[in-house]
Amino acid sequence: MTALFRSSCAAALLAALGLAAPAAIADPAPATAAQGVVSAPVDAVNPPAEASAPPSSPASPEISPQLPPPLSPMSAAIQSALGAMDGKAFKTSPIGAGDWRAASEAIRRFYEARDHAPLWVDESGLTPAGSSALRRLLRADEDGLDLSAFALPKEPPTAATPERLGEMDVVLSEAVVAYAMQASGARIAPTRISPLITQRPTVAEPAAALTSVSAAADPGAALEAFNPPQRGYLDLRDQLSRLRAETPARPAPIPSGPSLGLGMADPRVPMVRERLGAPQPAEGKDPQVYDLRLAVAVAAFQRSHGLPATGALTPGTVEALSGGAASSRREARILANMEMWRWEPHAMGEERIEINIPDYSLRLMDGDTLVHEARVIVGKPDTPTPVFSNEMRYILVNPIWRVPDSIIKKEMEPKLAEDPDYLTRRGYEVTQVGDRLIVKQPPGEANALGRILFMFPNEHAVYLHDTPLRSLFASERRAFSHGCVRVEQPMRLAQLVMGSGWTVGRLKALIGKSERTVLLPHTIPIHLEYFTEFVDDSGALQDREDIYGITRRVAGTIAQISQD
């Protein structure tokens, strides 16, 4: 029965294709009753071949399936190298917080869309585009980027097999994507450093990076352009290069271990003695014993390096003896600040306001030209000023201070519990809406916002404003606020952002008892930044207190990524 069915199916298929069944197809032998199968009539199962073909139908040509052309040896090698990407073992993502698995899949799809044609090589080796990209990739460390996860060739090969060239093409593409994503801010998610850092870096998309870099007249320059273009970043990069050039070659590090005091024995003692040029132990004495002569030499070293001169070999002393400790810390801070520049928008606006929180400064810029500079007061460490970008849209003259719920609960309600008239005696307007206490401070000289408030509506409810406590601007360390930024000379800043037609006198004429809204003629980008390392207008590298610990956390994250 099964054979009959196969035969009839074959005939039916041929009939559907318009082909005559070959005469060789014969009726199967009938099954016997002993086999337990009842025979069906031949016509019902396997009709005559001539009945299945339409009369007068011409013979049809034989149909063959269309197979894709075979891949070239180079493309086949690229396809094989892409298949091996899944087997690569990275301890951590080559792009830090970025999703390298998704990036790898995007690279695979990019090659598939171009039939696995090479991007950077041909049969003779690296193309000019490939050589240009490789030169920039090998200098990634100049921008503090880390491509050590990829086996990049140090120089173009003179001769290589298609398999080797295909692998190289894929590795270069992986490194190009990793460079572009790292340079545009993929390594560290700002909100993981602090929830108050709400900058959103625009991380390069893998296929777009491969397309733009490979098509560029100078792929190396196109790749470098994924780094921040701002002068502040470029100045730090120059300082990093200068610091590295000035740092002498570091001696072999002294191994870490427990602190050592007089009389203790340790294998590191001879290394420390040699490093300091300390006197050798007396004849017959154990050279591994930490003696008085060595303790005196260690104490002198500690004093010269700003360490507690205890004479004991502490972990901090070992780090300093290993060489470059101070420069290493400075380099780490520079790298951290370069990384924070990656969080800023590439296009920050020609006319813009930049507030550097650790520097307690505001700068109104026109391109790279400083138009106006003022001192500011920022948030205390327990109520820090957030880091974000926005646009200033209008100013309020004679602002009403609508006291945030957090300040009411933390600072005002305890005082109200002791003195129910505490707020009203100080001129505040207090109302109760359900369980919520609403507190407003009307306009006036004592208003916490002063006489003018610069508005850029944002998720943090943090703004720039005047203050009645102007004496605080004389302090060197000005972290006093609840998070908002208080600015010196607010009327002068208002005149500048309002543009022609506005004078300080015209603005002061608006001062009164009623809140007044004045729209800016056009919005102005405003950036609340956090840079503890920056280059001033004279070209000198400046260092500021890490008041919120952000630089330290970024530097630690970079170090952890590099170690992994």
Side-chain angles (χ1 to χ4, degrees):
M1 181 70 176
T2 303
L4 286 172
F5 182 72
R6 283 200 302 265
S7 181
S8 67
C9 287
L13 177 61
L14 291 171
L17 295 174
L19 301 176
I25 299 178
D27 296 335
T32 63
Q35 293 173 309
V37 179
V38 179
S39 299
V42 172
D43 288 347
V45 177
N46 191 23
E50 58 272 16
S52 64
S56 70
S57 175
S60 299
E62 185 177 356
I63 299 177
S64 300
Q66 294 296 318
L67 298 176
L71 293 174
S72 69
M74 184 83 71
S75 295
I78 287 174
Q79 187 179 49
S80 176
L82 290 169
M85 282 199 306
D86 294 336
K88 288 185 179 179
F90 296 118
K91 290 183 180 180
T92 58
S93 167
I95 48 176
D99 187 349
W100 182 247
R101 180 175 298 181
S104 296
E105 182 59 30
I107 295 171
R108 188 194 317 280
R109 291 196 302 268
F110 183 86
Y111 272 106
E112 288 175 350
R114 49 187 284 115
D115 294 328
H116 300 97
L119 273 176
W120 317 106
V121 304
D122 56 23
E123 291 77 4
S124 60
L126 280 176
T127 63
S131 296
S132 175
L134 178 60
R135 285 193 296 271
R136 171 47 49 190
L137 293 171
L138 292 175
R139 296 169 60 188
D141 188 52
E142 294 178 2
D143 287 281
L145 307 179
D146 183 5
L147 300 181
S148 59
F150 306 101
L152 292 171
K154 300 304 179 185
E155 57 185 31
T158 55
T161 63
E163 289 75 20
R164 176 69 186 103
L165 291 171
E167 291 173 3
M168 187 189 312
D169 201 86
V170 171
V171 167
L172 282 176
S173 290
E174 289 181 298
V176 163
V177 166
Y179 184 110
M181 295 184 73
Q182 286 188 34
S184 55
R187 281 198 296 187
I188 298 176
T191 52
R192 293 187 184 180
I193 298 299
S194 169
L196 290 178
I197 305 175
T198 53
Q199 295 283 31
R200 299 286 188 271
T202 304
V203 177
E205 195 275 326
L210 288 173
T211 299
S212 62
V213 174
S214 62
D218 184 351
L223 196 55
E224 186 179 6
F226 284 100
N227 290 292
Q230 293 91 341
R231 178 181 171 184
Y233 173 85
L234 299 175
D235 285 344
L236 284 178
R237 186 173 69 176
D238 290 343
Q239 290 291 329
L240 176 66
S241 176
R242 186 174 296 114
L243 178 65
R244 287 172 171 174
E246 293 172 352
T247 302
R250 299 178 186 175
I254 296 173
S256 58
S259 295
L260 299 180
L262 286 174
M264 298 177 67
D266 191 281
R268 297 172 295 162
V269 168
M271 295 180 64
V272 175
R273 196 185 307 277
E274 181 181 358
R275 187 69 47 88
L276 295 175
Q280 294 297 317
E283 187 176 352
K285 297 293 184 180
D286 187 347
Q288 294 193 0
V289 170
Y290 196 80
D291 59 17
L292 182 59
R293 295 178 178 183
L294 183 54
V296 170
V298 167
F301 175 85
Q302 289 169 329
R303 278 191 294 273
S304 67
H305 285 73
L307 299 169
T310 62
L313 186 68
T314 62
T317 306
V318 169
E319 180 186 4
L321 281 167
S322 293
S327 61
S328 293
R329 287 191 293 270
R330 194 69 185 269
E331 178 176 324
R333 292 196 297 268
I334 291 175
L335 289 170
N337 280 265
M338 289 171 65
E339 191 69 25
M340 289 186 280
W341 269 110
R342 304 185 196 284
W343 304 343
E344 299 291 330
H346 270 218
M348 298 181 72
E350 283 296 303
E351 184 185 16
R352 64 190 183 277
I353 295 171
E354 296 186 48
I355 296 170
N356 187 1
I357 296 168
D359 189 44
Y360 309 111
S361 66
L362 175 148
R363 292 161 66 89
L364 175 62
M365 305 295 297
D366 184 3
D368 287 334
T369 301
L370 177 64
V371 177
H372 174 69
E373 188 170 22
R375 289 176 286 187
V376 298
I377 294 167
V378 300
K380 297 174 288 187
D382 58 343
T383 55
T385 298
V387 179
F388 66 101
S389 294
N390 208 291
E391 290 186 334
M392 186 179 293
R393 301 177 182 277
Y394 60 97
I395 61 176
L396 292 176
V397 183
N398 312 312
I400 298 170
W401 185 36
R402 295 160 177 85
V403 184
D405 291 341
S406 59
I407 296 178
I408 294 173
K409 292 181 183 297
K410 186 176 180 180
E411 299 182 19
M412 292 182 170
E413 286 184 352
K415 294 178 180 178
L416 284 172
E418 298 176 2
D419 179 5
D421 296 327
Y422 170 79
L423 292 176
T424 54
R425 280 204 318 272
R426 284 163 175 76
Y428 289 92
E429 299 173 357
V430 182
T431 56
Q432 188 84 29
V433 179
D435 295 333
R436 184 186 175 198
L437 195 67
I438 297 177
V439 180
K440 297 180 182 178
Q441 187 181 32
E445 286 296 330
N447 187 285
L449 303 178
R451 285 297 190 178
I452 192 163
L453 174 64
F454 300 85
M455 295 296 292
F456 38 101
N458 60 83
E459 62 188 293
H460 305 286
V462 162
Y463 304 104
L464 180 66
H465 62 81
D466 183 17
T467 177
L469 302 174
R470 294 183 177 87
S471 62
L472 295 178
F473 287 109
S475 301
E476 184 176 348
R477 191 180 190 275
R478 297 188 292 276
F480 302 126
S481 81
H482 290 94
C484 282
V485 178
R486 307 172 195 172
V487 63
E488 192 178 32
Q489 304 177 29
M491 287 296 177
R492 173 60 176 156
L493 178 62
Q495 176 197 5
L496 291 169
V497 299
M498 290 303 301
S500 60
W502 285 88
T503 63
V504 171
R506 182 180 176 186
L507 287 165
K508 287 184 175 179
L510 298 176
I511 292 176
K513 296 183 179 180
S514 300
E515 187 176 82
R516 306 282 296 272
T517 300
V518 184
L519 297 177
L520 269 62
H522 59 269
T523 61
I524 298 177
I526 182 167
H527 307 279
L528 279 72
E529 308 161 347
Y530 193 95
F531 296 118
T532 56
E533 307 287 321
F534 60 92
V535 177
D536 65 17
D537 293 333
S538 70
L541 179 62
Q542 297 294 319
D543 181 66
R544 295 292 182 266
E545 180 190 1
D546 187 12
I547 54 177
Y548 301 156
I550 291 175
T551 297
R552 173 178 50 80
R553 291 195 290 273
V554 172
T557 303
I558 292 174
Q560 183 178 7
I561 293 171
S562 300
Q563 289 172 359
D564 292 341

PDB file of all heavy atoms in Angstrom, residues 227-250:
ATOM      1  N   ASN A 227      35.238  60.792  19.994  1.00  0.00           N
ATOM      2  CA  ASN A 227      35.583  61.374  21.288  1.00  0.00           C
ATOM      3  C   ASN A 227      34.953  62.758  21.416  1.00  0.00           C
ATOM      4  O   ASN A 227      34.580  63.377  20.421  1.00  0.00           O
ATOM      5  CB  ASN A 227      37.104  61.481  21.422  1.00  0.00           C
ATOM      6  CG  ASN A 227      37.772  60.131  21.559  1.00  0.00           C
ATOM      7  OD1 ASN A 227      37.610  59.456  22.567  1.00  0.00           O
ATOM      8  ND2 ASN A 227      38.518  59.727  20.537  1.00  0.00           N
ATOM      9  N   PRO A 228      34.829  63.275  22.641  1.00  0.00           N
ATOM     10  CA  PRO A 228      34.248  64.607  22.810  1.00  0.00           C
ATOM     11  C   PRO A 228      35.052  65.663  22.047  1.00  0.00           C
ATOM     12  O   PRO A 228      36.289  65.654  22.069  1.00  0.00           O
ATOM     13  CB  PRO A 228      34.334  64.840  24.326  1.00  0.00           C
ATOM     14  CG  PRO A 228      34.336  63.466  24.916  1.00  0.00           C
ATOM     15  CD  PRO A 228      35.113  62.624  23.945  1.00  0.00           C
ATOM     16  N   PRO A 229      34.375  66.594  21.369  1.00  0.00           N
ATOM     17  CA  PRO A 229      35.088  67.627  20.605  1.00  0.00           C
ATOM     18  C   PRO A 229      35.377  68.875  21.408  1.00  0.00           C
ATOM     19  O   PRO A 229      36.050  69.783  20.913  1.00  0.00           O
ATOM     20  CB  PRO A 229      34.092  67.944  19.480  1.00  0.00           C
ATOM     21  CG  PRO A 229      32.747  67.763  20.128  1.00  0.00           C
ATOM     22  CD  PRO A 229      32.910  66.624  21.125  1.00  0.00           C
ATOM     23  N   GLN A 230      34.893  68.964  22.664  1.00  0.00           N
ATOM     24  CA  GLN A 230      34.995  70.204  23.424  1.00  0.00           C
ATOM     25  C   GLN A 230      36.442  70.512  23.803  1.00  0.00           C
ATOM     26  O   GLN A 230      37.253  69.621  24.026  1.00  0.00           O
ATOM     27  CB  GLN A 230      34.146  70.132  24.691  1.00  0.00           C
ATOM     28  CG  GLN A 230      32.643  70.075  24.433  1.00  0.00           C
ATOM     29  CD  GLN A 230      32.138  68.654  24.322  1.00  0.00           C
ATOM     30  OE1 GLN A 230      32.900  67.725  24.083  1.00  0.00           O
ATOM     31  NE2 GLN A 230      30.838  68.466  24.500  1.00  0.00           N
ATOM     32  N   ARG A 231      36.702  71.794  23.915  1.00  0.00           N
ATOM     33  CA  ARG A 231      38.044  72.236  24.283  1.00  0.00           C
ATOM     34  C   ARG A 231      38.444  71.691  25.658  1.00  0.00           C
ATOM     35  O   ARG A 231      39.610  71.347  25.883  1.00  0.00           O
ATOM     36  CB  ARG A 231      38.104  73.760  24.275  1.00  0.00           C
ATOM     37  CG  ARG A 231      39.457  74.320  24.697  1.00  0.00           C
ATOM     38  CD  ARG A 231      39.454  75.834  24.700  1.00  0.00           C
ATOM     39  NE  ARG A 231      40.669  76.371  25.299  1.00  0.00           N
ATOM     40  CZ  ARG A 231      40.884  77.660  25.488  1.00  0.00           C
ATOM     41  NH1 ARG A 231      39.980  78.550  25.130  1.00  0.00           N
ATOM     42  NH2 ARG A 231      42.012  78.062  26.051  1.00  0.00           N
ATOM     43  N   GLY A 232      37.489  71.619  26.585  1.00  0.00           N
ATOM     44  CA  GLY A 232      37.804  71.109  27.915  1.00  0.00           C
ATOM     45  C   GLY A 232      38.339  69.698  27.875  1.00  0.00           C
ATOM     46  O   GLY A 232      39.275  69.352  28.610  1.00  0.00           O
ATOM     47  N   TYR A 233      37.765  68.853  27.008  1.00  0.00           N
ATOM     48  CA  TYR A 233      38.247  67.475  26.863  1.00  0.00           C
ATOM     49  C   TYR A 233      39.622  67.454  26.197  1.00  0.00           C
ATOM     50  O   TYR A 233      40.533  66.752  26.653  1.00  0.00           O
ATOM     51  CB  TYR A 233      37.257  66.657  26.039  1.00  0.00           C
ATOM     52  CG  TYR A 233      37.764  65.280  25.698  1.00  0.00           C
ATOM     53  CD1 TYR A 233      37.613  64.215  26.588  1.00  0.00           C
ATOM     54  CD2 TYR A 233      38.418  65.023  24.497  1.00  0.00           C
ATOM     55  CE1 TYR A 233      38.093  62.954  26.293  1.00  0.00           C
ATOM     56  CE2 TYR A 233      38.905  63.771  24.185  1.00  0.00           C
ATOM     57  CZ  TYR A 233      38.733  62.738  25.087  1.00  0.00           C
ATOM     58  OH  TYR A 233      39.221  61.486  24.787  1.00  0.00           O
ATOM     59  N   LEU A 234      39.768  68.202  25.118  1.00  0.00           N
ATOM     60  CA  LEU A 234      41.031  68.191  24.375  1.00  0.00           C
ATOM     61  C   LEU A 234      42.183  68.705  25.236  1.00  0.00           C
ATOM     62  O   LEU A 234      43.306  68.189  25.155  1.00  0.00           O
ATOM     63  CB  LEU A 234      40.888  69.034  23.109  1.00  0.00           C
ATOM     64  CG  LEU A 234      39.823  68.550  22.109  1.00  0.00           C
ATOM     65  CD1 LEU A 234      39.694  69.533  20.954  1.00  0.00           C
ATOM     66  CD2 LEU A 234      40.149  67.151  21.595  1.00  0.00           C
ATOM     67  N   ASP A 235      41.907  69.701  26.075  1.00  0.00           N
ATOM     68  CA  ASP A 235      42.950  70.205  26.975  1.00  0.00           C
ATOM     69  C   ASP A 235      43.385  69.128  27.975  1.00  0.00           C
ATOM     70  O   ASP A 235      44.576  68.988  28.281  1.00  0.00           O
ATOM     71  CB  ASP A 235      42.444  71.429  27.734  1.00  0.00           C
ATOM     72  CG  ASP A 235      42.393  72.681  26.859  1.00  0.00           C
ATOM     73  OD1 ASP A 235      43.019  72.667  25.782  1.00  0.00           O
ATOM     74  OD2 ASP A 235      41.730  73.649  27.254  1.00  0.00           O
ATOM     75  N   LEU A 236      42.429  68.375  28.486  1.00  0.00           N
ATOM     76  CA  LEU A 236      42.779  67.297  29.422  1.00  0.00           C
ATOM     77  C   LEU A 236      43.584  66.206  28.723  1.00  0.00           C
ATOM     78  O   LEU A 236      44.508  65.628  29.310  1.00  0.00           O
ATOM     79  CB  LEU A 236      41.519  66.706  30.050  1.00  0.00           C
ATOM     80  CG  LEU A 236      40.849  67.535  31.150  1.00  0.00           C
ATOM     81  CD1 LEU A 236      39.587  66.836  31.641  1.00  0.00           C
ATOM     82  CD2 LEU A 236      41.804  67.764  32.322  1.00  0.00           C
ATOM     83  N   ARG A 237      43.228  65.903  27.480  1.00  0.00           N
ATOM     84  CA  ARG A 237      43.985  64.889  26.738  1.00  0.00           C
ATOM     85  C   ARG A 237      45.429  65.330  26.549  1.00  0.00           C
ATOM     86  O   ARG A 237      46.365  64.518  26.672  1.00  0.00           O
ATOM     87  CB  ARG A 237      43.329  64.616  25.387  1.00  0.00           C
ATOM     88  CG  ARG A 237      43.979  63.463  24.633  1.00  0.00           C
ATOM     89  CD  ARG A 237      43.214  63.093  23.384  1.00  0.00           C
ATOM     90  NE  ARG A 237      43.289  64.128  22.368  1.00  0.00           N
ATOM     91  CZ  ARG A 237      42.756  64.009  21.150  1.00  0.00           C
ATOM     92  NH1 ARG A 237      42.098  62.906  20.824  1.00  0.00           N
ATOM     93  NH2 ARG A 237      42.859  64.984  20.273  1.00  0.00           N
ATOM     94  N   ASP A 238      45.628  66.613  26.263  1.00  0.00           N
ATOM     95  CA  ASP A 238      46.997  67.130  26.135  1.00  0.00           C
ATOM     96  C   ASP A 238      47.739  67.024  27.464  1.00  0.00           C
ATOM     97  O   ASP A 238      48.930  66.682  27.498  1.00  0.00           O
ATOM     98  CB  ASP A 238      46.968  68.589  25.673  1.00  0.00           C
ATOM     99  CG  ASP A 238      46.513  68.729  24.227  1.00  0.00           C
ATOM    100  OD1 ASP A 238      46.525  67.718  23.502  1.00  0.00           O
ATOM    101  OD2 ASP A 238      46.118  69.852  23.843  1.00  0.00           O
ATOM    102  N   GLN A 239      47.050  67.314  28.569  1.00  0.00           N
ATOM    103  CA  GLN A 239      47.684  67.211  29.879  1.00  0.00           C
ATOM    104  C   GLN A 239      48.040  65.762  30.205  1.00  0.00           C
ATOM    105  O   GLN A 239      49.079  65.491  30.816  1.00  0.00           O
ATOM    106  CB  GLN A 239      46.748  67.769  30.957  1.00  0.00           C
ATOM    107  CG  GLN A 239      46.562  69.264  30.916  1.00  0.00           C
ATOM    108  CD  GLN A 239      47.828  70.013  31.306  1.00  0.00           C
ATOM    109  OE1 GLN A 239      48.626  69.534  32.114  1.00  0.00           O
ATOM    110  NE2 GLN A 239      48.020  71.194  30.724  1.00  0.00           N
ATOM    111  N   LEU A 240      47.188  64.828  29.802  1.00  0.00           N
ATOM    112  CA  LEU A 240      47.483  63.408  30.021  1.00  0.00           C
ATOM    113  C   LEU A 240      48.751  63.009  29.276  1.00  0.00           C
ATOM    114  O   LEU A 240      49.624  62.324  29.836  1.00  0.00           O
ATOM    115  CB  LEU A 240      46.300  62.555  29.547  1.00  0.00           C
ATOM    116  CG  LEU A 240      46.480  61.044  29.622  1.00  0.00           C
ATOM    117  CD1 LEU A 240      46.585  60.574  31.069  1.00  0.00           C
ATOM    118  CD2 LEU A 240      45.318  60.328  28.920  1.00  0.00           C
ATOM    119  N   SER A 241      48.867  63.440  28.030  1.00  0.00           N
ATOM    120  CA  SER A 241      50.063  63.128  27.242  1.00  0.00           C
ATOM    121  C   SER A 241      51.305  63.728  27.878  1.00  0.00           C
ATOM    122  O   SER A 241      52.358  63.076  27.972  1.00  0.00           O
ATOM    123  CB  SER A 241      49.882  63.650  25.812  1.00  0.00           C
ATOM    124  OG  SER A 241      51.054  63.455  25.055  1.00  0.00           O
ATOM    125  N   ARG A 242      51.182  64.966  28.354  1.00  0.00           N
ATOM    126  CA  ARG A 242      52.336  65.628  28.974  1.00  0.00           C
ATOM    127  C   ARG A 242      52.728  64.926  30.272  1.00  0.00           C
ATOM    128  O   ARG A 242      53.917  64.721  30.546  1.00  0.00           O
ATOM    129  CB  ARG A 242      51.982  67.092  29.238  1.00  0.00           C
ATOM    130  CG  ARG A 242      53.150  67.926  29.741  1.00  0.00           C
ATOM    131  CD  ARG A 242      52.773  69.393  29.851  1.00  0.00           C
ATOM    132  NE  ARG A 242      52.465  69.961  28.549  1.00  0.00           N
ATOM    133  CZ  ARG A 242      51.258  70.395  28.190  1.00  0.00           C
ATOM    134  NH1 ARG A 242      50.249  70.341  29.032  1.00  0.00           N
ATOM    135  NH2 ARG A 242      51.066  70.903  26.996  1.00  0.00           N
ATOM    136  N   LEU A 243      51.744  64.545  31.073  1.00  0.00           N
ATOM    137  CA  LEU A 243      52.028  63.863  32.337  1.00  0.00           C
ATOM    138  C   LEU A 243      52.741  62.540  32.089  1.00  0.00           C
ATOM    139  O   LEU A 243      53.713  62.203  32.778  1.00  0.00           O
ATOM    140  CB  LEU A 243      50.727  63.630  33.098  1.00  0.00           C
ATOM    141  CG  LEU A 243      50.833  62.884  34.430  1.00  0.00           C
ATOM    142  CD1 LEU A 243      51.622  63.707  35.441  1.00  0.00           C
ATOM    143  CD2 LEU A 243      49.443  62.556  34.975  1.00  0.00           C
ATOM    144  N   ARG A 244      52.275  61.795  31.101  1.00  0.00           N
ATOM    145  CA  ARG A 244      52.895  60.507  30.809  1.00  0.00           C
ATOM    146  C   ARG A 244      54.315  60.678  30.294  1.00  0.00           C
ATOM    147  O   ARG A 244      55.195  59.862  30.594  1.00  0.00           O
ATOM    148  CB  ARG A 244      52.049  59.743  29.793  1.00  0.00           C
ATOM    149  CG  ARG A 244      50.746  59.197  30.377  1.00  0.00           C
ATOM    150  CD  ARG A 244      49.860  58.620  29.305  1.00  0.00           C
ATOM    151  NE  ARG A 244      48.716  57.907  29.885  1.00  0.00           N
ATOM    152  CZ  ARG A 244      47.712  57.394  29.177  1.00  0.00           C
ATOM    153  NH1 ARG A 244      47.705  57.521  27.852  1.00  0.00           N
ATOM    154  NH2 ARG A 244      46.723  56.768  29.775  1.00  0.00           N
ATOM    155  N   ALA A 245      54.543  61.734  29.518  1.00  0.00           N
ATOM    156  CA  ALA A 245      55.895  61.965  28.984  1.00  0.00           C
ATOM    157  C   ALA A 245      56.858  62.374  30.092  1.00  0.00           C
ATOM    158  O   ALA A 245      58.048  62.035  30.044  1.00  0.00           O
ATOM    159  CB  ALA A 245      55.849  63.035  27.903  1.00  0.00           C
ATOM    160  N   GLU A 246      56.349  63.094  31.093  1.00  0.00           N
ATOM    161  CA  GLU A 246      57.218  63.583  32.169  1.00  0.00           C
ATOM    162  C   GLU A 246      57.452  62.545  33.246  1.00  0.00           C
ATOM    163  O   GLU A 246      58.395  62.679  34.033  1.00  0.00           O
ATOM    164  CB  GLU A 246      56.590  64.837  32.800  1.00  0.00           C
ATOM    165  CG  GLU A 246      56.556  66.034  31.862  1.00  0.00           C
ATOM    166  CD  GLU A 246      55.769  67.187  32.447  1.00  0.00           C
ATOM    167  OE1 GLU A 246      55.133  66.988  33.521  1.00  0.00           O
ATOM    168  OE2 GLU A 246      55.761  68.273  31.830  1.00  0.00           O
ATOM    169  N   THR A 247      56.602  61.519  33.309  1.00  0.00           N
ATOM    170  CA  THR A 247      56.742  60.513  34.348  1.00  0.00           C
ATOM    171  C   THR A 247      57.886  59.577  33.998  1.00  0.00           C
ATOM    172  O   THR A 247      57.881  58.965  32.930  1.00  0.00           O
ATOM    173  CB  THR A 247      55.451  59.688  34.508  1.00  0.00           C
ATOM    174  OG1 THR A 247      54.376  60.581  34.817  1.00  0.00           O
ATOM    175  CG2 THR A 247      55.593  58.656  35.607  1.00  0.00           C
ATOM    176  N   PRO A 248      58.892  59.457  34.838  1.00  0.00           N
ATOM    177  CA  PRO A 248      60.013  58.558  34.529  1.00  0.00           C
ATOM    178  C   PRO A 248      59.563  57.111  34.505  1.00  0.00           C
ATOM    179  O   PRO A 248      58.510  56.755  35.048  1.00  0.00           O
ATOM    180  CB  PRO A 248      60.996  58.814  35.680  1.00  0.00           C
ATOM    181  CG  PRO A 248      60.134  59.325  36.799  1.00  0.00           C
ATOM    182  CD  PRO A 248      59.022  60.095  36.155  1.00  0.00           C
ATOM    183  N   ALA A 249      60.382  56.290  33.857  1.00  0.00           N
ATOM    184  CA  ALA A 249      60.071  54.864  33.820  1.00  0.00           C
ATOM    185  C   ALA A 249      59.994  54.322  35.244  1.00  0.00           C
ATOM    186  O   ALA A 249      60.872  54.576  36.068  1.00  0.00           O
ATOM    187  CB  ALA A 249      61.139  54.122  33.021  1.00  0.00           C
ATOM    188  N   ARG A 250      58.942  53.599  35.515  1.00  0.00           N
ATOM    189  CA  ARG A 250      58.732  53.117  36.876  1.00  0.00           C
ATOM    190  C   ARG A 250      59.575  51.876  37.146  1.00  0.00           C
ATOM    191  O   ARG A 250      59.658  50.987  36.301  1.00  0.00           O
ATOM    192  CB  ARG A 250      57.261  52.784  37.087  1.00  0.00           C
ATOM    193  CG  ARG A 250      56.355  53.986  36.908  1.00  0.00           C
ATOM    194  CD  ARG A 250      54.901  53.597  37.085  1.00  0.00           C
ATOM    195  NE  ARG A 250      54.026  54.720  36.770  1.00  0.00           N
ATOM    196  CZ  ARG A 250      52.713  54.631  36.755  1.00  0.00           C
ATOM    197  NH1 ARG A 250      52.119  53.484  37.018  1.00  0.00           N
ATOM    198  NH2 ARG A 250      51.983  55.688  36.462  1.00  0.00           N
TER     199      ARG A 250
END
